[in-house]
Amino acid sequence: MILSSRARNLLRDATQSLHGAPRLAKRRSKVVDEIVVWCREHDIELGPRLTHDRLRFDRELLAQIDDTLAALGHPAIDTALGGLTSTEQARFGNREEKSVRESPREHRVLANLPAGSPRSGLASQARDFLDLDWRDIALPEFDVLVQVENLDGFYALDPVIPPLTEWPRPLVLYRGDSFYGGAFPKVAEAWVSTGKAHLYLGDFDAKGVSLAISSRATHLLLPPFAALAQSAHAEHLPAKQQEYQSALRDLAGSLPAGHPLTNYLQVLLGDQRGLLQQWFGSELTRVPLG
C-alpha cells in the first residue's frame, strides 16, 4: 500500500501544526483510516493514539512514519510533490505522483515561425512548426501576437498577408486544445504588458468571439464584412453556443456608433449566422474588439 496524495497532505499539515503544539487529534475519516492501515502494514504501533473516533498525531509518530518512508525510498512527509515534473519528483525518491505533478505540456506552446537553417534529411519548408516552452520566447522581440483557434488553419497560415504587413515579426501561436492547451493563456496574459496588438483568427461564432475576448485579444481577423455577410450560415452557429450570446449582446450594446464590430455582431446575434474559419477565404481584415 502506498500513501495517497491526500494522506501525505494530511501528514504534512499535522507536521506543521505540531510546531506549536505537542499533539494533534484528527477525527476518523477515509484518509485517516488509510494512514492507520498503512501504519499497521509497516508495524508502526499506534497504541492509545488510536480510538474508535480519533487518531492522535505527535512528533514521535510522525518521526516513525518519516523513517519508514525513507526506508521505502519514498519522499519525506514535508516534501510537496504537487507542481513538480516527474524528473523533479524523482529527486525525492521512487514515488511518482502523476495526479499532482506538473503536466509535461504545462508551459508548451506550438509556434508557427519562419524556417531556420535547413536540417539534414528533411525537406526545406518556408515555415517551421515548433513545440516551445513559452518562457523561452522573448515576447518583446515580436511585433504582434496572432492566436489561431483551429489546428488546420494554424498549419496553413502564412502570415505574409495584408492585415499583417505592418508587423514584420509576428508571433503565431496555436490557441490549444486538450493536447496543446495549458500554456497559451500564460502567453496571452504576459503579452498584455507589451502593449502590442493581439489578433485572433478563429471561427466566427459565439464561442470563438468569446474566446478572443477572454484571451484579451485586441482584434479579430475576419473576412471583409460584405464577404462574411454573404457567406455566413446558420449551420455555422451551433445552438449549444447560446450560453455565450448574452455577454456578446452586452458588448454590442456598449460599442460606440459606427464601430466596425457592430455589423459583424448583428450577423452573429441578430441573424443567428456564423462562419467557420475554414470558410473565410484568402482575404482578411482586422476588426477591433471593443
Side-chain angles (χ1 to χ4, degrees), residues 14-257:
T15 300
Q16 294 171 354
S17 297
L18 290 176
H19 290 320
R23 62 188 62 85
L24 173 71
K26 288 285 188 179
R27 289 186 178 276
R28 296 288 290 269
S29 64
K30 185 175 180 180
V31 66
V32 169
D33 286 343
E34 177 189 341
I35 293 170
V36 170
V37 172
W38 186 88
C39 287
R40 286 171 172 166
E41 282 189 359
H42 294 91
D43 299 320
I44 297 175
E45 181 60 46
L46 297 176
R49 297 184 183 98
L50 180 65
T51 67
H52 72 283
D53 66 343
R54 295 176 188 273
L55 173 62
R56 190 182 74 248
F57 294 93
D58 53 40
R59 294 185 183 89
E60 181 183 356
L61 173 59
L62 292 173
Q64 291 180 61
I65 293 174
D66 241 350
D67 289 344
T68 304
L69 288 171
L72 294 169
H74 292 182
I77 291 173
D78 61 359
T79 302
L81 299 178
L84 302 180
T85 65
S86 292
T87 301
E88 290 169 337
Q89 288 183 359
R91 293 202 295 266
F92 296 102
N94 57 26
R95 173 75 182 278
E96 180 185 24
E97 287 278 9
K98 288 187 176 181
S99 63
V100 298
R101 74 178 181 184
E102 178 185 283
S103 164
R105 297 195 177 274
E106 180 73 21
H107 301 290
R108 310 302 293 189
V109 291
L110 194 59
N112 173 341
L113 297 169
S117 300
R119 295 175 174 86
S120 177
L122 297 179
S124 296
Q125 302 291 338
R127 309 290 297 178
D128 280 341
F129 302 96
L130 304 178
D131 178 325
L132 303 172
D133 186 319
W134 80 272
R135 297 168 296 184
D136 294 332
I137 301 173
L139 298 182
E141 297 297 315
F142 293 89
D143 304 318
V144 63
L145 174 62
V146 181
Q147 173 188 178
V148 186
E149 176 183 352
N150 298 296
L151 190 56
D152 52 358
F154 168 79
Y155 286 128
L157 178 63
D158 183 345
V160 184
I161 54 177
L164 298 177
T165 52
E166 68 182 86
W167 296 300
R169 287 182 55 81
L171 176 59
V172 181
L173 299 180
Y174 177 44
R175 184 187 68 83
D177 49 28
S178 58
F179 191 64
Y180 280 103
F184 184 83
K186 301 180 180 71
V187 179
E189 184 64 29
W191 186 262
V192 173
S193 65
T194 70
K196 298 175 183 178
H198 170 179
L199 312 185
Y200 183 93
L201 176 58
D203 297 338
F204 181 68
D205 55 19
K207 182 178 180 180
V209 177
S210 297
L211 288 171
I213 294 170
S214 65
S215 64
R216 303 179 72 173
T218 59
H219 298 74
L220 300 173
L221 277 173
L222 293 171
F225 177 71
L228 182 139
Q230 182 176 6
S231 301
H233 200 284
E235 290 184 3
H236 290 195
L237 183 61
K240 63 183 180 180
Q241 293 188 9
Q242 283 289 333
E243 62 183 287
Y244 297 99
Q245 294 201 22
S246 176
L248 295 182
R249 293 184 191 281
D250 291 341
L251 170 63
S254 70
L255 296 174

